[in-house]
């Protein structure tokens, strides 16, 4: 049992395995009570029992399919009503390696519901309470393929680009109201993600990171005040240069006439 000071409650989606389960472990050990969410109730209960014993924290499990609007609404309700929640980790997500010609578009729509719609609605549910209380942290799990978009399935990559873009806008809207927003971009990480995505061999590749290393680095980035954390990127300046170039576009878009190169 830990003597770490209570820091509020962290609600973590997709905590039944992989990256989310490691977030649950690390945040409980940092002094947070937890609300852990995923579909697999048995896995959530097993994790809750272990973490409860190891940390003495209160771990609540909520089995919910976040791609289902009614079940998602239950989690939104918890975020609106529970004023002890100080951290939201939007981690639940699924991927694919299939091309646009192979895909079942219904599966793609379900991926959008989970990776984009659920993350967005849960953020909208949490943000007003965080602002009212003048504190709160939102951690959104994007992906390196949100930048390197050609690497995997296009809908998956685009969903993770969305998470990165949404994070920038959230920082603009919330940073001066006491709310921290961190966007995390893992690259290949050894989790069940790859079994679900249809490329299990990725887990054993030498370039694949462990979920433990990924989450520990992401939390170090959070502690350092980073807005965007890319654990596998060793040249951190590469991100800073790209981000500076991106931000430099805005003033150049304010022209009423098309660029001369489009003159007829
Ligand atoms: P994972 O082990 O497969 O974990 C995914 C989690 O999401 C599980 O807890 C799963 O639990 C939950 N989940 C899936 N569908 C759900 C649904 N409809 N409703 C509620 N929960 C659902 O994979 P992971 O690698 O830890 O993935 C976590 C996040 O990291 C994802 O957003 C993923 O896109 C991102 N990411 C992963 C990698 C990688 O290489 N692994 C790289 C970049 C980004 P249930 O099955 O119990 O619902």
């Amino acid at each position: 049992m830990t003597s770490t000071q209570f820091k509020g409650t962290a609600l973590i989606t997709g905590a039944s395995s992989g990256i989310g389960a490691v977030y649950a472990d690390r945040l409980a050990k940092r002094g947070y009570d937890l609300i852990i969410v995923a579909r697999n109730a048995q896995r959530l209960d097993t994790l809750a029992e272990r973490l409860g014993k190891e940390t003495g924290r209160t771990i609540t499990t909520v089995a919910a399919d976040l791609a289902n609007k009614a079940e998602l609404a239950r989690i939104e309700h918890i975020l609106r009503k529970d004023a002890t929640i100080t951290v939201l980790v939007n981690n639940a997500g699924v991927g694919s390696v299939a091309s646009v010609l192979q895909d079942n578009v219904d599966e793609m729509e379900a991926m959008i519901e989970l990776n984009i719609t659920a993350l967005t609605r849960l953020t909208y549910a949490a943000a007003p309470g965080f602002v009212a209380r003048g504190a709160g942290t939102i951690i959104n799990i994007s992906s390196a393929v949100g930048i390197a978009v050609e690497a995997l399935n296009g809908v998956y990559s685009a969903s993770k680009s969305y998470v990165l873009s949404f994070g920038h806008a959230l920082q603009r809207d919330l940073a001066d109201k006491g709310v921290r927003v961190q966007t995390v971009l893992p690259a290949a990480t050894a989790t069940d993600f790859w079994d679900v995505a249809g490329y299990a061999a990725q887990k054993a590749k030498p370039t694949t990171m462990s979920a433990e290393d990924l989450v520990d680095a992401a939390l170090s980035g959070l502690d350092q005040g980073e807005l965007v954390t890319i654990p596998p990127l060793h040249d951190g300046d590469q991100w800073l240069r790209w981000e500076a170039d991106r931000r430099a576009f805005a003033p150049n878009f304010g022209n009423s006439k098309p660029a001369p190169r489009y003159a007829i």
Side-chain angles (χ1 to χ4, degrees):
M1 197 169 286
T2 182
S3 59
T4 312
Q5 196 189 349
F6 176 61
K7 292 188 178 136
T9 302
L11 189 148
I12 307 166
T13 68
S16 64
S17 66
I19 292 167
V22 180
Y23 265 108
D25 179 277
R26 300 310 196 251
L27 292 178
K29 287 173 180 164
R30 283 181 174 221
Y32 291 91
D33 285 349
L34 303 180
I35 300 170
I36 52 176
V37 180
R39 292 167 302 180
N40 190 320
Q42 197 180 342
R43 277 179 148 188
L44 289 176
D45 288 345
T46 303
L47 179 64
E49 197 182 330
R50 175 175 74 77
L51 291 180
K53 275 188 194 141
E54 284 179 15
T55 67
R57 295 295 164 204
T58 301
I59 320 287
T60 306
T61 65
V62 185
D65 180 350
L66 298 175
N68 174 300
K69 272 276 162 61
E71 296 187 30
L72 176 61
R74 283 169 43 217
I75 312 304
E76 293 175 56
H77 183 75
I78 292 169
L79 285 163
R80 284 204 186 85
K81 294 291 169 199
D82 185 344
T84 72
I85 296 174
T86 53
V87 175
L88 167 64
V89 184
N90 272 315
N91 164 77
V94 288
S96 165
V97 294
S99 91
V100 68
L101 297 177
Q102 294 166 278
D103 272 341
N104 176 341
V105 74
D106 292 333
E107 278 174 30
M108 297 298 104
E109 187 177 1
M111 189 191 298
I112 291 168
E113 289 293 328
L114 180 63
N115 294 9
I116 295 181
T117 306
L119 177 142
T120 304
R121 293 194 67 99
L122 295 179
T123 300
Y124 269 71
F130 287 175
V131 169
R133 297 190 287 278
T137 301
I138 299 170
I139 299 171
N140 287 335
I141 307 301
S142 172
S143 168
V145 303
I147 296 173
V149 292
E150 291 85 359
L152 298 179
N153 165 271
V155 175
Y156 176 68
S157 299
S159 76
K160 293 302 181 177
S161 301
Y162 171 91
V163 176
L164 179 58
S165 297
F166 186 50
H168 291 312
L170 289 172
Q171 282 148 11
R172 180 203 58 205
D173 291 350
L174 300 175
D176 65 350
K177 298 177 176 64
V179 182
R180 297 203 46 199
V181 180
Q182 182 201 28
T183 307
V184 177
L185 279 68
T189 308
T191 70
D192 294 350
F193 172 90
W194 292 103
D195 302 272
V196 177
Y199 188 52
Q202 181 65 52
K203 287 193 287 186
K205 292 201 171 180
T207 49
T208 298
M209 191 177 287
S210 75
E212 288 78 8
D213 282 353
L214 183 277
V215 173
D216 287 336
L219 288 171
S220 169
L222 182 72
D223 294 340
Q224 292 172 47
E226 285 189 349
L227 306 181
V228 174
T229 297
I230 314 177
L233 186 68
H234 284 218
D235 178 7
D237 286 346
Q238 187 176 12
W239 163 258
L240 296 177
R241 287 192 300 273
W242 193 66
E243 178 63 359
D245 281 350
R246 185 187 69 77
R247 287 178 188 262
F249 271 106
N252 299 338
F253 289 141
N255 293 301
S256 61
K257 298 276 185 235
R261 67 183 176 282
Y262 301 120
I264 299 165

